[in-house]
Amino acid sequence: MISTDISASLFDRAKSLMPGGVNSPVRAFGSVGGTPRFMVSAKGAHLTDADGRDYVDLVCSWGPALLGHAHPDVLAAVHAAVDRGLSFGASTPAEAELASLVQQRVPAVERLRMVSTGTEATMTAVRLARGFTGRNLIIKFAGCYHGHLDSLLAAAGSGLATLALPGSAGVTAATAAETLVLPYNDLGAVEAAFARHGHSIAAVITEAAPANMGVVAPGEGFNAGLSRITAGHGALLILDEVLTGFRTGPAGYWGLTGGALGGTSGAPVGGTTGSSTASGPEWTPDLFTFGKVIGGGLPTAALGGRAEVMDYLAPVGPVYQAGTLSGNPVAMAAGVATLTAATADVYATVDARSMELSSALSQALSTAGVDHSIQRAGSLFSVAFGTSERGVHNYEDAQGQETFRYAPFFHAMLDAGVYLPPSVFEAWFLSAAHDDAAMNRIVDALPAAAKAAAAA
């Protein structure tokens, strides 16, 4: 028997102090059941829980640990920054240093504003789009997640171009009605929405490659089509790269599929839905939002884009945004060190390990007779059960999968010392620290987990 006594005790205490015992809902293991593991340390590709058990980590702090946990260069930079002081409430040289690194990687970012969370970045981007265009409506896509701001916690209405309904208690109908929720990967629905509401639409916001309904690759030309449609109607395109930015490549997912590289391919081949750098039209969003990797594991995020739009932010423009801890010097140091160390070799390693693991996962499931597809977007991937015929291209497809197979699969992997995302609707993350030993441990655990999924 695997002891979880200390984690269980910590969870009981936490539940008496915090709603659900957690500060972010997915940590509660609600969709997989069982005792959430309380982690106390991390190094390289590994986590250690309060009961002293080691796990190979495939969550990587939901993306930031691109280099692996506790990378020595990042720790050295953070320790040096801490020695200089935790926060000054004033500008620091490191803010411009990190902004310059972002601009070098993503030349379309002519101006950058640092914030503290991905939610704050998307909230500010939406406000900025409304202020710049003088319009109110925002288009988002079902299954895409852009943080917990009210207007984007909206559920689809009764038709393709109807106003949305509240998607959470506490979100008012009036707030939700300023959002149009459309099916993902459906440019026809976007065209219809603009035909009906185009004079009122400030922006379309989309994940560069959705990773919150499982990974879903944008269809070939989809993001480019969004850029074309918004530009034609005087609206903005906001590309949410909070998850994909600087993780799927040096310039994020836009760097893989925008510019000269063009669109993506999302057709399932051999049980796998993937992305590629197929040729296609160049396209550039008006605004980007970044998080996760940009802070190297500390709470940092940003929005950036065209100078003409970004200069609508205070203090030079009329759109107000402020944050006491925005550009925190310790977080800036972690971000600078992470992006500096994220070399071409790092991305090549993560890409290769991702392909290795997703192939091993598919093989184990096929051997066990489990129908599935592997959903890919760059180095990000996820598994969707019961979807081999078509794959997953939108939220309806994601909701239609055999979700009941994931919990037994997850717990079999957990018992074998592999920590997966505790939800089938999340991406799997690898790092440059996932060496042969870590990979072998994961691969060795897959057959038994696949059998558990088959028996569900």
Side-chain angles (χ1 to χ4, degrees):
M1 290 291 292
I2 296 170
S3 173
T4 60
D5 291 349
I6 297 176
S7 282
S9 176
L10 290 170
F11 191 42
D12 286 341
R13 180 173 186 264
K15 285 188 289 187
S16 73
L17 298 167
M18 299 178 287
V22 295
N23 285 308
S24 191
V26 73
R27 300 176 191 171
F29 278 28
S31 68
V32 294
T35 301
R37 304 305 194 261
F38 277 59
M39 301 301 176
V40 296
S41 66
K43 181 72 174 178
H46 296 265
L47 296 169
T48 302
D49 71 12
D51 290 276
R53 191 146 189 264
D54 173 84
Y55 303 86
V56 179
D57 182 22
L58 290 174
V59 175
C60 290
S61 192
W62 302 102
L66 174 68
L67 307 175
H69 293 288
H71 188 278
D73 291 353
V74 178
L75 290 185
V78 168
H79 291 161
V82 167
D83 287 343
R84 293 190 293 268
L86 298 180
S87 181
F88 308 135
S91 297
T92 70
E95 295 171 83
E97 186 177 359
L98 182 53
S100 177
L101 287 174
V102 171
Q103 190 178 76
Q104 291 170 33
R105 287 166 169 255
V106 187
V109 174
E110 297 173 347
R111 299 280 192 277
L112 193 75
R113 171 62 59 88
M114 300 294 180
V115 293
S116 296
T117 67
T119 291
E120 190 181 356
T122 57
M123 175 187 73
T124 305
V126 166
R127 182 184 302 160
L128 178 57
R130 286 175 168 147
F132 181 78
T133 62
R135 302 172 181 179
N136 293 334
L137 296 182
I138 301 293
I139 287 177
K140 67 157 293 206
F141 297 101
C144 287
Y145 179 69
H146 305 288
H148 57 89
L149 61 154
D150 284 5
S151 63
L152 297 183
L153 279 180
S158 58
L160 291 185
T162 60
L163 303 183
L165 304 171
S168 168
V171 176
T172 67
T175 297
E178 293 183 331
T179 304
L180 303 173
V181 182
L182 305 182
Y184 188 69
N185 267 330
D186 188 342
L187 284 179
V190 179
E191 294 275 20
F194 271 95
R196 182 171 179 180
H197 299 287
H199 62 286
S200 299
I201 297 172
V204 173
I205 185 169
T206 183
E207 290 185 76
N212 289 281
M213 50 178 156
V215 174
V216 178
E220 185 169 353
F222 180 71
N223 285 342
L226 295 180
S227 180
R228 171 183 54 80
I229 293 167
T230 50
H233 288 271
L236 303 185
L237 175 61
I238 304 169
L239 196 69
D240 183 345
E241 293 239 36
V242 167
L243 270 175
T244 54
F246 315 119
R247 169 155 276 278
T248 55
Y253 201 70
W254 177 74
L256 294 180
T257 60
L261 291 177
T264 64
S265 170
V269 178
T272 298
T273 296
S275 64
S276 68
T277 53
S279 61
E282 295 186 17
W283 59 277
T284 301
D286 300 285
L287 293 171
F288 295 81
T289 59
F290 302 111
K292 313 297 184 187
V293 173
I294 195 176
L298 292 182
T300 297
L303 67 149
R306 287 198 286 131
E308 177 190 12
V309 179
M310 289 295 296
D311 283 346
Y312 257 63
L313 283 174
V316 292
V319 177
Y320 191 73
Q321 182 275 334
T324 298
L325 296 180
S326 295
N328 174 269
V330 180
M332 295 297 96
V336 168
T338 297
L339 292 189
T340 300
T343 62
D345 286 345
V346 164
Y347 290 109
T349 297
V350 173
D351 287 346
R353 292 305 197 189
S354 173
M355 289 301 299
E356 178 185 346
L357 179 54
S358 59
S359 295
L361 169 60
S362 186
Q363 181 178 345
L365 291 172
S366 294
T367 299
V370 180
D371 184 274
H372 69 283
S373 65
I374 304 298
Q375 305 293 128
R376 296 196 58 83
S379 61
L380 298 184
F381 70 90
S382 62
V383 60
F385 296 105
T387 61
S388 65
E389 183 175 347
R390 184 174 181 272
V392 176
H393 302 274
N394 53 42
Y395 188 54
E396 184 178 2
D397 292 342
Q399 291 291 98
Q401 68 176 289
E402 296 173 348
T403 57
F404 61 88
R405 297 194 188 278
Y406 189 71
F409 179 87
F410 170 87
H411 279 288
M413 295 295 286
L414 192 67
D415 290 346
V418 179
Y419 190 73
L420 297 180
S423 167
V424 73
F425 297 112
E426 301 287 354
W428 295 28
F429 298 92
L430 288 113
S431 77
H434 280 72
D435 57 14
D436 288 345
M439 295 298 292
N440 289 340
R441 186 168 168 188
I442 301 167
V443 171
D444 288 348
L446 288 172
K451 290 177 182 177

